Amino acid sequence: MTAADTKAAGPPVPVPRVPEKTGISHSGQEADGPRPKKRRKKGELLPYFLILPAILAIAAVYVYPLIKTVIMSFQDLGRAALWGNGETPWVGFEQFTNILGDPDFWAVVGRTVVFMTICVVLTMGIGLLIALMMLKVSTWVRLVLTVALIAAWSMPLMVAASVFRWLSDSDYGLINTLLADLTGDEDRWLGHNWFLDPWQGFGIITLLVVWGAIPFVVITMYAALTQVPKELEEAASLDGATAFGVYRFVTWPVIKPVFTMVATLSVIWDFNVFGQIWLLRGNKPEPEYETLGLYSFSKAFESTSFSQGSAIALITVLMLSGVAVYYLRQLIKTGEVE
């Protein structure tokens, strides 16, 4: 290469230097060094201290009795042992084996499931129809209906049971009087005792349960129906959809999560019905009217087998645990959608 060629090639291109690792990242912090500890904000623990009394109260009211029930179900606790005058032997799963092998227990379970199903279907069906009707009536009618529902909802159970006992009374009951006037058959209906036949007796009990549960369903479902976009319903109607089509494809998808949650709560409540049957049967329900709650109470306090009653109560909790888990999942899903 000549001097002229070297001159034409120009000066050499400088090679960039590789920066040395300084341990500082692009964000200005050390890459491998210790990070500074996050300081707690002032008052960050205050909410936990505020809810601590409620947590302790819940633990005392719910957690301790549940633990005690589990312990008693594995023992043979009698009247003497309850008052500390005798020993309480451990029997393991003997109580559960005796209960699950008892045909009367499964008869009570079947009766409870059928009763719960009828109550839930009637409650949700009638409640949804009334909520849909409240969308069509005028404002003052809706206001009067809401006040009536709240009044029925706030009525104590003992008062409501007394009213239904009077309505179904064999001698002075309004139901018998109305049926006698409508059918003209006074000999059949005047003096008719509804509770001699368990099917008829459970019909009166079902009326009481449904009557007391409908206000909550109506108010909740009406609130859900008000969240349905009106423009979507109008667009579906303009496209030629019938009233049922608008409800099925527009209204129902919006209110379905709320309907599912309310129905799940109704299953839990109606499965544990106790006071309505107890009060309508004069604090002495016949075996034909026993549901799981009454059956557990009867075994524990009338047969003085507290451990067996605890085992039945624990089995009831296990039966409802799947429904409770499903309810919590729906509640979480609803929160995620919102």
Side-chain angles (χ1 to χ4, degrees):
M1 180 182 294
T2 61
D5 296 331
T6 305
K7 183 177 181 180
V13 180
V15 179
R17 298 179 59 187
V18 179
E20 299 179 357
K21 294 183 179 181
T22 58
I24 306 297
S25 63
H26 294 285
S27 61
Q29 298 179 353
E30 294 184 0
D32 301 326
R35 295 183 179 181
K37 294 182 179 180
K38 183 180 178 181
R39 295 183 178 180
R40 289 184 178 273
K41 295 181 180 180
K42 187 177 181 180
E44 186 177 358
L45 298 178
L46 180 60
Y48 298 98
F49 287 108
L50 293 177
I51 66 173
L52 182 61
I55 294 176
L56 295 177
I58 292 175
V61 175
Y62 292 101
V63 177
Y64 174 75
L66 180 59
I67 296 175
K68 189 65 176 179
T69 301
V70 174
I71 294 175
M72 289 173 58
S73 64
F74 290 97
Q75 297 175 334
D76 188 10
L77 182 64
R79 185 185 297 271
L82 182 65
W83 297 104
N85 296 325
E87 296 182 357
T88 307
W90 289 84
V91 294
F93 290 93
E94 181 179 344
Q95 302 291 355
F96 297 94
T97 304
N98 295 335
I99 293 169
L100 297 178
D102 187 2
D104 293 337
F105 171 76
W106 293 109
V108 172
V109 171
R111 186 184 305 125
T112 304
V113 172
V114 172
F115 173 72
M116 176 269 296
T117 303
I118 295 174
C119 289
V120 171
V121 171
L122 291 177
T123 301
M124 298 305 301
I126 298 174
L128 182 58
L129 290 176
I130 297 176
L132 289 170
M133 182 192 68
M134 290 178 66
L135 294 175
K136 305 297 182 181
V137 298
S138 59
T139 303
W140 72 270
V141 175
R142 187 185 308 118
L143 180 61
V144 172
L145 185 58
T146 303
V147 172
L149 290 171
I150 294 176
W153 195 8
S154 60
M155 182 177 294
L157 177 59
M158 184 172 293
V159 177
S162 299
V163 171
F164 274 80
R165 286 189 67 180
W166 168 73
L167 290 175
S168 60
D169 185 76
S170 58
D171 296 323
Y172 307 101
L174 182 61
I175 297 177
N176 289 352
T177 303
L178 290 176
L179 289 175
D181 293 340
L182 291 175
T183 60
D185 191 355
E186 295 184 356
D187 295 335
R188 178 181 179 183
W189 295 113
L190 294 182
H192 177 71
N193 190 341
W194 291 90
F195 293 96
L196 290 179
D197 183 3
W199 286 99
Q200 297 181 9
F202 267 110
I204 302 297
I205 296 170
T206 301
L207 289 178
L208 174 57
V209 173
V210 173
W211 178 84
I214 278 180
F216 172 76
V217 176
V218 173
I219 294 174
T220 306
M221 295 310 303
Y222 174 74
L225 288 169
T226 57
Q227 303 304 312
V228 179
K230 300 300 180 183
E231 56 272 13
L232 295 181
E233 295 180 336
E234 295 175 358
S237 299
L238 293 175
D239 289 339
T242 62
F244 178 75
V246 173
Y247 173 79
R248 179 181 178 184
F249 297 105
V250 178
T251 306
W252 175 249
V254 177
I255 68 173
K256 181 180 178 181
V258 178
F259 184 90
T260 303
M261 292 174 57
V262 176
T264 306
L265 286 176
S266 298
V267 169
I268 297 175
W269 292 336
D270 294 343
F271 199 87
N272 291 313
V273 166
F274 182 92
Q276 290 88 339
I277 304 175
W278 179 265
L279 293 173
L280 284 179
R281 297 310 304 131
N283 303 339
K284 187 70 175 178
E286 296 83 355
E288 295 80 8
Y289 288 95
E290 286 184 347
T291 56
L292 273 175
L294 290 165
Y295 187 68
S296 173
F297 181 86
S298 174
K299 287 293 184 181
F301 294 97
E302 293 183 6
S303 302
T304 64
S305 180
F306 302 103
S307 294
Q308 198 169 21
S310 300
I312 297 172
L314 190 59
I315 293 174
T316 305
V317 172
L318 294 176
M319 288 181 177
L320 290 175
S321 60
V323 181
V325 170
Y326 178 78
Y327 170 74
L328 293 176
R329 289 185 60 186
Q330 294 299 320
L331 190 65
I332 294 173
K333 288 182 179 179
T334 304
E336 291 176 352
V337 172
E338 294 177 354

